[in-house]
Amino acid sequence: MTDETLSGATDVHVHLMPDRLMAAIRGALNEDAGWEFPHPTDREAIEAELRENGVERYCALPYAHKPDIAADLNEWVLDRASESDMCVPFATVHGDDDVRPIVREAFEAGARGLKFQCPVQGVGPDDPRLDPAFELAAEYDRPILFHAGTAPMFRDSPHVGVESFRSFLQSYPEVRACAAHMGAFETAAFIETARNHDNAFLDTCFAMSTAVGNYMDFDPSDIDDSVFEELSGRVMYGSDYPNIPHPYRAEYEGLLQRDLSDEAFEALFSGAAERFLGER
């Protein structure tokens, strides 16, 4: 594919959160990794940039880094989504919250899935505190997107790793679950896991960027084109926007240059997201 921008794509990994929370997240990343973020955080400006790059819709992913904020955060995201024709709202919950009513309320209000930033939230895909959330995801047919890998700075976290993600897939085979960032840094193991579990998805965000080597020890070329063909329909385009320290187009330009079939490109940029969201 040689198009310079996307066309009708879904970006499954965009962060939409209140300014104060977004500033705290960016401050932590700046302190830990030295990253600077040139992108806006308000919904209208985020959507303008996405549209300019050919994105048709996006999944808005919140996460609660401490107890007692998830319900308000979910309501905030849902309110912003109600004003948008692009936003697909997700919800979150903290492991120390009263999990079941918070998640049920979010699903009843229109949340299309759940997001867990496992190392930051201190929860893993096999954390029993989250079982009520996982049970509701099965009941409502809602997918879950996990930051389940060790990148970019979580190698020592007890809440990440391919084993806990596999445990989730085995315990909840009816729930579609995505490992963000291609599972980096355990990418090969997460790819193999996706081969063995039909409910496993991966997203490309940050890991497949042409700029990723400037920020962490990862080479997108290590993932062969055959992975996108073999797992067509379960590898989804995502960007991590606006919390990326590089231009948005760096998230997709390398993907567009890959030698993939038309079917694999369609799945990567829209079809897999439709499947993940339960639309096909």
Side-chain angles (χ1 to χ4, degrees):
M1 187 179 246
T2 57
D3 293 351
E4 292 185 359
T5 60
L6 306 175
S7 178
T10 297
D11 185 334
V12 300
H13 200 126
V14 173
H15 293 294
L16 183 63
M17 288 182 272
D19 287 343
R20 184 175 177 182
L21 180 55
M22 194 74 92
I25 292 167
R26 289 180 163 192
L29 286 168
N30 179 267
E31 182 177 343
D32 291 342
W35 298 351
E36 300 286 346
F37 303 98
H39 307 293
T41 59
D42 60 287
R43 180 186 63 80
E44 293 87 349
I46 287 172
E47 292 182 358
E49 178 70 10
L50 296 177
R51 263 195 216 95
E52 185 175 324
N53 284 275
V55 173
E56 185 173 274
R57 64 175 181 164
Y58 65 96
C59 296
L61 307 179
Y63 54 88
H65 65 290
K66 62 182 181 179
D68 302 322
I69 68 169
D72 288 344
L73 179 57
N74 294 340
E75 183 179 5
W76 186 92
V77 173
L78 285 159
D79 284 347
R80 297 307 176 279
S82 70
E83 304 165 352
S84 169
D85 61 356
M86 294 180 69
C87 182
V88 180
F90 272 48
T92 191
V93 71
H94 192 275
D96 291 333
D97 286 332
D98 189 2
V99 170
R100 190 178 300 276
I102 290 173
V103 173
R104 187 181 294 279
E105 181 180 11
F107 286 167
E108 288 289 336
R112 297 287 301 279
L114 292 173
K115 158 69 177 183
F116 295 102
Q117 218 292 3
C118 297
V120 172
Q121 293 186 255
V123 298
D126 58 355
D127 190 324
R129 295 176 298 168
L130 296 181
D131 280 341
F134 301 157
E135 292 163 5
L136 286 168
E139 178 184 339
Y140 283 81
D141 191 27
R142 299 290 196 269
I144 302 177
L145 197 151
F146 293 103
H147 183 129
T150 56
M153 58 194 72
F154 303 117
R155 285 188 170 97
D156 296 328
S157 172
H159 306 292
V160 297
V162 71
E163 291 303 327
S164 64
F165 186 66
R166 284 176 183 158
S167 176
F168 174 88
L169 296 170
Q170 292 162 356
S171 297
Y172 296 94
E174 69 275 44
V175 179
R176 297 176 299 282
C178 175
H181 312 290
M182 298 296 289
F185 292 109
E186 297 176 276
T187 302
F190 275 91
I191 289 171
E192 186 61 26
T193 297
R195 290 187 176 112
N196 295 326
H197 296 273
D198 289 341
N199 58 325
F201 289 70
L202 301 168
D203 81 28
T204 64
C205 79
F206 209 101
M208 301 308 295
S209 166
T210 53
V212 65
N214 296 330
Y215 306 106
M216 64 186 196
D217 185 18
F218 190 84
D219 186 351
S221 67
D222 289 342
I223 301 178
D224 192 77
D225 288 351
S226 62
V227 171
F228 294 89
E229 296 286 353
E230 180 185 1
L231 295 177
S232 177
R234 288 192 289 123
V235 179
M236 307 182 289
Y237 172 68
S239 69
D240 227 0
Y241 191 80
N243 289 343
I244 51 176
H246 49 261
Y248 184 84
R249 68 170 296 106
E251 285 294 321
Y252 62 80
E253 60 187 355
L255 294 169
L256 292 180
Q257 293 165 7
R258 285 181 173 261
D259 185 19
L260 304 181
S261 66
D262 290 345
E263 292 77 13
F265 275 123
E266 187 277 334
L268 174 61
F269 290 111
S270 60
E274 293 174 5
R275 183 176 175 189
F276 182 63
L277 293 168
E279 298 170 347
R280 63 158 70 176

